[in-house]
Amino acid sequence: MVKAGKAARKVGPLATSPSHLMHRALQLALDIYAEETGADGLTQRQFAVLEAVSIKAGLTQTELVRMTGIDRSTLADLVTRMTSKGLLERERSTLDARAKAVRLSAEGSARLEAARPLVEAADKRIMALLPKGQRETFLNQLADLAAAADAAPDAAKAEAKAAKKALKAAEKEAKKAEKAAKKADRPAKPAKVKKPKLKLVEPT
């Protein structure tokens, strides 16, 4: 195990780039996962989908996206391939007649049970690369990042809604200003001069 501070740290912009470092860490994690599960084992995403479905049967695609964090288009293709392999079964959702729900097949359940100890071994190998005193903090930080990823779509929707509302308000104010400017440019109407009324005086 590499002790904290003992490894030679690289210098340069990549050494301080969180996105680059997380990508490198992800590569390492996936390599360890592949070594433990084997060439014929479930991929990390397949395992995540099966585990999610095992927690709650009859999940729709929208619910699977929320639970696994896999984007909708990738998940749709993944579920299709896993169904064709006999790992999942599709059925009409009981809550939404327009949606398709998925559940574990007997094959999928058996593959999941076989994969769990292998995935656990991979996780232990990954965590063993960190000092014991840092592991819980590391997991908490990963959980915080995952929570931020889960909240991102809703935050983006709220931001778009606020921007649309602000645009409408700005357009309304612009129309008011334009109307006021046109009114100010109109020539003033001449004041009406009241003609004196002539009284006829009858001769006496």
Side-chain angles (χ1 to χ4, degrees):
M1 181 180 69
V2 179
K3 297 292 184 181
K6 297 295 183 181
R9 296 183 181 275
K10 295 181 179 180
V11 295
L14 293 180
T16 56
S17 169
S19 58
H20 172 71
L21 294 175
M22 283 192 286
H23 179 68
R24 291 292 306 278
L26 174 62
Q27 287 179 317
L28 173 63
L30 292 178
D31 286 344
I32 292 175
Y33 179 94
E35 289 173 7
E36 291 295 334
T37 57
D40 297 328
L42 297 173
T43 67
Q44 198 281 327
R45 284 180 172 176
Q46 288 175 334
F47 177 79
V49 169
L50 292 180
E51 194 69 272
V53 177
S54 73
I55 296 171
K56 181 181 177 183
L59 288 176
T60 63
Q61 182 173 302
T62 299
E63 291 172 318
L64 273 174
V65 167
R66 190 180 301 115
M67 290 183 70
T68 64
I70 303 172
D71 67 90
R72 185 174 294 274
S73 59
T74 301
L75 183 66
D77 181 60
L78 184 60
V79 168
T80 297
R81 286 187 281 111
M82 292 176 71
T83 302
S84 65
K85 291 181 179 179
L87 301 176
L88 293 173
E89 295 175 349
R90 284 185 174 180
E91 60 186 11
R92 193 169 296 279
S93 172
T94 57
L95 300 177
D96 186 351
R98 298 169 299 176
K100 289 286 188 179
V102 295
R103 63 172 59 251
L104 282 178
S105 65
E107 174 67 15
S109 181
R111 292 288 300 277
L112 177 61
E113 286 296 327
R116 279 173 174 156
L118 303 178
V119 174
E120 184 179 353
D123 289 340
K124 286 181 177 179
R125 280 183 59 186
I126 294 168
M127 296 304 292
L129 296 172
L130 296 173
K132 288 183 179 180
Q134 297 181 14
R135 294 173 191 175
E136 185 176 354
T137 299
F138 176 69
L139 281 178
N140 289 337
Q141 290 171 339
L142 289 179
D144 289 342
L145 290 174
D150 291 341
D154 291 336
K157 286 180 182 178
E159 187 177 342
K161 187 177 180 180
K164 188 176 181 180
K165 186 177 181 181
L167 179 61
K168 284 185 177 181
E171 289 175 346
K172 188 176 181 180
E173 288 299 320
K175 286 181 180 179
K176 282 185 179 180
E178 185 180 357
K179 188 176 181 181
K182 286 182 179 179
K183 188 175 181 180
D185 289 341
R186 291 176 186 168
K189 292 183 179 179
K192 291 183 178 180
V193 179
K194 293 184 178 179
K195 293 182 180 179
K197 293 182 179 180
L198 299 177
K199 295 184 178 179
L200 296 176
V201 180
E202 295 181 359
T204 56

